[in-house]
Amino acid sequence: MTDAAVPTHCPYCALQCGMSLRRTGGEDPGVEVVERTDFPVNRGALCGKGRTAPAVLSSRVRLTGPLVRRPGSGALEPATWDEALGAVADGLARTRSGHGPDAVGVFGGGGLTNEKAYTLGKFARVVLGTSQIDYNGRFCMSSAAAAHQRAFGLDRGLPFPLADVPRTGCVVLVGSNLAETMPPALRHLTELRENGGTLIVVDPRRTKTAEQADLHLAPRPGTDLALALGLLHLVVAGGRTDEAFIRERTTGWPEARAAAMAHWPEHVERVTGVPVPQLREAVRLFCDAPTSMVLTARGPEQQSKGTDTVSAWINLCLATGRAGRPLSGYGCLTGQGNGQGGREHGQKADQLPGYRKLTDPAAREHVARVWGVDPDALPGPGRSAYELLDALGGEVKALLLMGSNPVVSAPRASHIEGRLRSLDFLAVADVVLSETAALADVVLPVAQWAEETGTTTNLEGRVLLRRRAITPPPGVRTDLEVLHGLAGLLGHEKGFPQDPEEVFDELRRASAGGPADYSGITYRRIVAEDGVFWPCPEAGTEAGAQPQAPRTAPHPGTPRLFLERFATADGRARFADVVHREAGEETDGEYPVLLTTGRVVAQYQSGAQTRRVGELNDAAPGPFVELHPRLAERLGVVDGDRLVVVSRRGRAVAPARVTDAIRADTVFMPFHWPGEGRANNLTNPALDPTSRMPEFKVCAVRVERAE
């Protein structure tokens, strides 16, 4: 690193805010964040997590050498890299030899760069020959992805740049608290209102984001599907449909219309708790605006009916002609740093690079040709994330885990912790000694965002380049170096390069002609253009062909999708025939209260990294239970009293936070902490039948005053 600032991107959420890193000359880590005002997504703004990100680079808080669990002491103790990699290779090979390839599992993460996600998927299928690979992004945006595919034939979180949001007429924000989860993005909603647009927020809590809204709808958790159908009913009844758009650019409207008409306003009010006048006002605001958008996040998606719920919101856009047109449409606010790219290039159980389907013979042929293997040698689809974790210690006896902390982040977390403990062999590659890494037989310390180069794809579908700014500590290796070493020990000395740009060039070939086509994107273009939107085929390349030297002008990338046609076979969007159904678990006499979970501004995901930053811990030192004053009065508790929250799966203990900003029938807990306040002890692993998303956002609990 020189004294000049190195442009890069934040390691946390899917905004991938632009920032630069500059040498300070001070103590470890000797680097600081400086604003980068030229990047259009955040224009210099950063949240506290981004500003303090260098703190986790310090050797005082991170892993700086491999650890191996010694048979005698049973403790994790320092080891050489040769010993650690040898132990991992031996554990995986021994399991594969004794029980077959599917006895070995691989679990990835939505924070891995595109190069690492791609290589991890290739490693699982080519080196290990296992079908058992998935990643924690399944817990994040998989329901929206499935609904996107169903309606439009293609999944990209936002089909338009984030900069379009302030220019539309109305935004319906469903189940997102941008003010705390993506603070720099809130300015886009502020500018929307300054430009004369309106904001509708759907959330059972009056969050900091909801406080900015022109209209706040607070439905009972788990009823977002009924709410969306009720709004569509009012659109039809009020004659607000766009019949020309429906006729010319969609299919399936009669069935979707009939389903919506079964959800009349008074019925929807009884189900959701949202008053009929508010339903009517929401439709008026949405339809009176010349252009409108619906943006969803984890609230409606992390449900056992998440795919249908998102489909119902897409139906609202299609019926009003608010899709496939400038400044209108449906979008998903992807959560994890590379949540978009992480689901495109092969670390998901049913996918190959380029967002190709693993069951498609042509896709298998194409990718196998790039990899130099027989297509028939590629395994088929495996288990989804929760199902894979649930199978640990049973059919899956060994696990290689990279960039995830399911001991804290998985639903029914105490059960998953038990499954991890029951494995014959567990290897974890991570930056810090997370709660999951502490259970491993081998822990491999890997480099962080500022110590390696690689691409990510943000929530807009903009492919970005994180650049290496500093050298990792001597005992630390990159994930690509780890996979290269393991592949060599397992008999594959070629095909797993350590250089990220070499990997990206192979990824380009593997993605060429696929739905997420990166073949026209290069590191040089990303730097020159502040990111490139996919799909971006290489000039002169036919679908399914290998990239060649460009014969015409480079493809400009695709900031806005679907303006001429949707990505379906006939170019038309598909309405979904969906009806409301109850959550996987409803309240009863024993469990009379609903629990919903989420994030706070100063912590991120499982907190494995942010809980090691003093400034962030001062702002958010631990878990809490948010509850309404009426419920607090019934329980005889006041602010700060310790509460026990109990579900059918476990219990959690945390102090009360009494507020009238939540429904009286609902409590909220953040999910960033382990120990007795681990919120995911309580959550329900009921799975969406299409996306296999667990139902994090609603389960039945009882709340008691702690002794």
Side-chain angles (χ1 to χ4, degrees):
M1 180 177 175
T2 67
D3 290 334
V6 177
T8 188
H9 294 273
C10 179
Y12 292 113
C13 81
L15 284 180
Q16 287 298 278
C17 290
M19 60 167 59
S20 293
L21 292 176
R22 180 174 60 202
R23 185 190 300 275
T24 65
E27 295 183 359
D28 177 30
V31 64
E32 66 179 358
V33 167
V34 294
E35 291 184 359
R36 182 179 158 199
T37 58
D38 61 327
F39 187 61
V41 172
N42 64 307
R43 298 179 306 217
L46 294 169
C47 71
K49 296 185 292 292
R51 284 189 299 98
T52 61
V56 189
L57 297 168
S58 170
S59 58
R60 295 188 295 272
V61 301
R62 52 100 57 86
L63 293 165
T64 56
L67 302 172
V68 171
R69 194 172 300 281
R70 305 296 182 188
S73 67
L76 286 170
E77 298 178 2
T80 67
W81 268 99
D82 285 346
E83 181 185 8
L85 288 177
V88 176
D90 180 65
L92 299 178
R94 187 173 61 248
T95 303
R96 189 182 189 280
S97 175
H99 303 281
D102 278 355
V104 179
V106 176
F107 199 85
L112 300 180
T113 63
N114 291 317
E115 291 82 358
K116 292 190 280 190
Y118 170 84
T119 303
L120 189 63
K122 181 181 179 181
F123 179 86
R125 295 182 173 103
V126 173
V127 177
L128 300 177
T130 182
S131 66
Q132 300 303 299
I133 176 171
D134 212 81
Y135 81 126
N136 63 15
R138 178 80 68 169
F139 298 158
C140 193
M141 70 296 292
S142 58
S143 291
H148 242 138
Q149 294 277 10
R150 175 195 280 176
F152 306 130
L154 182 69
D155 161 46
R156 198 180 83 187
L158 293 182
F160 39 74
L162 198 59
D164 282 0
V165 171
R167 300 166 56 209
T168 192
C170 177
V171 169
V172 181
L173 187 65
V174 188
S176 171
N177 182 14
L178 277 180
E180 297 202 62
T181 59
M182 297 179 173
L186 189 64
R187 68 164 53 184
H188 295 286
L189 299 181
T190 302
E191 290 173 7
L192 164 77
R193 299 186 70 212
E194 290 173 349
N195 293 339
T198 55
L199 173 64
I200 302 170
V201 171
V202 179
D203 198 304
R205 304 166 63 221
R206 191 176 70 251
T207 63
K208 292 181 180 178
T209 308
E211 289 174 352
Q212 308 297 314
D214 298 281
L215 178 64
H216 173 214
L217 309 181
R220 187 175 188 265
T223 64
D224 306 88
L225 177 51
L227 177 63
L229 288 164
L231 296 179
L232 183 53
H233 176 110
L234 288 169
V235 166
V236 175
R240 308 300 296 263
T241 56
D242 187 331
E243 295 298 324
F245 180 89
I246 292 170
R247 182 174 59 254
E248 296 166 7
R249 298 200 61 189
T250 72
T251 63
W253 172 234
E255 296 80 7
R257 181 184 187 278
M261 297 316 288
H263 296 76
W264 61 96
E266 292 74 17
H267 170 64
V268 170
E269 178 179 315
R270 287 195 296 272
V271 171
T272 66
V274 178
V276 171
Q278 289 189 3
L279 299 174
R280 296 187 185 279
E281 178 66 2
V283 169
R284 185 190 70 79
L285 293 174
F286 187 75
C287 293
D288 281 358
T291 56
S292 301
M293 296 175 179
V294 172
L295 305 177
T296 69
R298 306 300 81 76
E301 298 163 18
Q302 287 181 327
Q303 298 185 28
S304 60
K305 52 182 181 294
T307 302
D308 284 357
T309 301
V310 174
S311 291
W313 288 104
I314 292 174
N315 284 353
L316 180 66
C317 292
L318 294 176
T320 54
R322 309 303 173 94
R325 288 175 169 170
L327 304 182
S328 285
Y330 164 76
C332 160
L333 297 170
T334 303
Q336 294 192 76
N338 196 32
Q340 181 67 53
R343 68 185 186 261
E344 295 168 0
H345 297 300
Q347 68 169 333
K348 199 175 173 189
D350 54 355
Q351 286 178 354
L352 288 169
Y355 229 144
R356 288 181 159 92
K357 293 181 179 178
L358 192 53
T359 54
D360 178 1
R364 294 170 67 87
E365 171 68 31
H366 174 87
V367 174
R369 187 166 66 247
V370 174
W371 288 351
V373 300
D374 184 343
D376 293 336
L378 296 177
R383 293 176 172 89
S384 71
Y386 180 80
E387 292 164 305
L388 173 55
L389 294 172
D390 191 40
L392 299 181
E395 294 181 47
V396 180
K397 300 181 183 301
L399 183 69
L400 172 63
L401 186 147
M402 284 186 157
S404 186
N405 188 19
V407 165
V408 178
S409 63
R412 199 184 172 197
S414 57
H415 169 72
I416 296 305
E417 180 179 346
R419 302 320 306 152
L420 286 159
R421 291 180 182 276
S422 71
L423 282 164
D424 292 347
F425 181 78
L426 172 63
V428 174
D430 209 333
V431 169
V432 297
L433 190 66
S434 69
E435 288 73 23
T436 303
L439 304 180
D441 297 286
V442 181
V443 181
L444 304 174
V446 291
Q448 300 186 56
W449 57 290
E451 301 165 343
E452 59 183 351
T453 294
T455 61
T456 62
T457 306
N458 78 346
L459 78 174
E460 310 164 295
R462 187 195 303 253
V463 185
L464 305 166
L465 185 65
R466 289 185 190 163
R467 278 168 277 200
R468 175 171 169 163
I470 57 175
T471 303
V476 171
R477 296 186 182 180
T478 70
D479 292 278
L480 293 180
E481 290 170 339
V482 168
L483 292 171
H484 170 85
L486 290 176
L489 290 172
L490 293 168
H492 291 259
E493 295 182 359
K494 295 183 179 180
F496 292 87
Q498 303 172 73
D499 177 65
E501 190 166 8
E502 187 177 347
V503 175
F504 189 77
D505 285 342
E506 183 180 306
L507 181 157
R508 293 172 58 218
R509 298 195 301 275
S511 73
D517 191 334
Y518 282 33
S519 60
I521 305 174
T522 64
Y523 277 20
R524 180 173 295 184
R525 279 196 65 182
I526 295 171
V527 172
E529 301 172 30
D530 254 340
V532 182
F533 291 86
W534 71 259
C536 182
E538 188 158 19
T541 300
E542 299 297 327
Q546 298 292 321
Q548 304 166 9
R551 295 193 294 271
T552 59
H555 190 285
T558 315
R560 295 169 182 85
L561 295 169
F562 314 137
L563 295 182
E564 296 180 2
R565 69 189 310 274
F566 295 98
T568 55
D570 59 5
R572 292 171 174 263
R574 311 298 197 235
F575 279 98
D577 178 7
V578 295
V579 296
H580 177 68
R581 59 184 186 273
E582 290 187 338
E585 182 176 82
E586 293 290 343
T587 56
D588 58 20
E590 187 175 2
Y591 301 98
V593 178
L594 291 172
L595 168 73
T596 191
T597 65
R599 286 171 47 192
V600 297
V601 66
Q603 301 288 353
Y604 182 72
Q605 304 301 72
S606 74
Q609 294 185 38
T610 51
R611 284 186 275 112
R612 287 167 165 81
V613 179
E615 179 181 328
L616 301 179
N617 275 335
D618 290 343
F624 57 86
V625 182
E626 188 176 280
L627 72 164
H628 192 275
R630 289 206 296 272
L631 178 56
E633 184 178 7
R634 285 207 306 273
L635 296 171
V637 300
V638 296
D639 224 44
D641 285 351
R642 282 166 55 83
L643 296 178
V644 180
V645 185
V646 183
S647 77
R648 291 177 174 86
R649 289 153 297 281
R651 70 198 299 270
V653 182
R657 184 172 294 183
V658 181
T659 173
D660 63 1
I662 191 169
R663 290 175 56 97
D665 58 3
T666 301
V667 295
F668 166 83
M669 290 189 70
F671 56 72
H672 309 290
W673 288 273
E676 67 174 8
R678 182 169 57 179
N680 277 319
N681 284 348
L682 308 166
T683 47
N684 189 0
L687 301 181
D688 180 286
T690 303
S691 68
R692 314 309 288 170
M693 167 73 85
E695 192 153 55
F696 287 98
K697 279 297 182 281
V698 53
C699 70
V701 299
R702 67 173 181 267
V703 184
E704 303 166 345
R705 184 171 183 163
E707 294 296 334

